[in-house]
Amino acid sequence: MKCISCEQWSFSIICKTCQDTLLTPTLNKRQLCDDFFVYSFYSYEELQDLINTKYEFFGDKVFNILAQLSFAQFANEFKYDEKVISIPVDDHTNHDFSQSAILARHTKSSHIKPVYSTLKATSRVKYAGRNLEFRQKNPRRFKYSGKNDLSVILVDDLVTTGLTLLEAKKHLKKHGCQTLFALTLCDAKF
């Protein structure tokens, strides 16, 4: 097969050379509100074509590579006084996989335990390409079915305005969960 990044022949959907040179993560921190930060590994411009593979049947392979290069490394270095859970934001499946669930799976470590299918959006509206006003008028309306009173890391593929992450944090707070921060693959404002 050919590498989807450089189009050279490869045994992987993204060749080792592209993984080593083009996909080197740089942790970026953005403040969404007074006490809430989102950490991202790449700018959206860097990964735009790769992020958009979430709409393709082979996107799970791409997201597994990206998660291994970024989320897994982060998880191995993360330390906290108590066990933390990572929750993928609305991990429903698209094209037979969930990109947020793939990313969360790679947070598994001695300090982080991924928990799936607990934070679901009841609104199926698509935000891609929509402006802030549209996003504000069409909230996700989350439903949480997990345990209460936990320390949480929210996981998503992309942060643009931050409204989805803020809404998720607010909803988890109603269940006594403390959201420590959010972790995303890309930041549109990076």
Side-chain angles (χ1 to χ4, degrees):
M1 79 176 79
K2 287 189 174 187
C3 170
I4 64 170
S5 183
C6 70
E7 297 187 0
Q8 296 296 315
W9 290 104
S10 172
F11 289 110
S12 177
I13 197 156
I14 302 175
C15 72
K16 186 70 172 141
T17 302
C18 287
Q19 289 181 41
D20 291 343
T21 57
L22 301 176
L23 300 178
T24 303
T26 303
L27 195 62
N28 180 60
K29 179 180 177 182
R30 181 176 16 148
Q31 188 171 6
L32 294 182
C33 66
D34 289 341
D35 63 342
F36 188 52
F37 295 88
V38 59
Y39 295 89
S40 304
F41 298 98
Y42 303 96
S43 72
Y44 179 68
E45 290 77 28
E46 285 179 284
L47 290 188
Q48 184 173 358
D49 292 338
L50 297 177
I51 285 289
N52 287 332
T53 64
K54 66 184 173 183
Y55 305 113
E56 304 291 339
F57 71 93
F58 58 85
D60 60 324
K61 293 171 184 55
V62 173
F63 273 83
N64 271 300
I65 291 170
L66 294 172
Q68 185 63 42
L69 294 170
S70 54
F71 282 72
Q73 289 180 11
F74 177 88
N76 287 334
E77 296 174 14
F78 179 78
K79 306 282 187 266
Y80 200 68
D81 294 337
E82 60 187 82
K83 190 78 166 187
V84 175
I85 65 165
S86 63
I87 298 177
V89 175
D90 194 29
D91 56 348
H92 73 282
T93 58
N94 253 346
H95 302 284
D96 297 327
F97 71 94
S98 164
Q99 67 272 12
S100 60
I102 290 171
L103 298 172
R105 184 177 72 230
H106 287 276
T107 64
K108 185 177 181 180
S109 70
S110 58
H111 294 275
I112 305 171
K113 177 186 175 188
V115 177
Y116 308 99
S117 298
T118 57
L119 185 63
K120 298 287 191 177
T122 60
S123 170
R124 287 279 154 237
V125 65
K126 302 283 187 202
Y127 281 178
R130 300 298 190 135
N131 63 20
L132 177 62
E133 182 182 356
F134 177 85
R135 293 166 188 247
Q136 289 172 328
K137 288 181 179 178
N138 297 280
R140 295 286 187 197
R141 294 191 301 270
F142 286 108
K143 179 181 175 190
Y144 179 65
S145 60
K147 292 182 180 179
N148 295 339
D149 305 315
L150 299 171
S151 295
V152 173
I153 299 171
L154 286 172
V155 175
D156 208 355
D157 61 336
L158 174 67
V159 59
T160 52
T161 63
L163 287 177
T164 298
L165 294 171
L166 288 169
E167 184 182 349
K169 176 188 182 295
K170 183 179 177 181
H171 189 75
L172 288 171
K173 188 174 183 176
K174 293 177 185 176
H175 294 272
C177 294
Q178 177 194 9
T179 305
L180 303 176
F181 54 87
L183 200 57
T184 65
L185 195 56
C186 293
D187 187 336
K189 294 183 179 180
F190 190 133

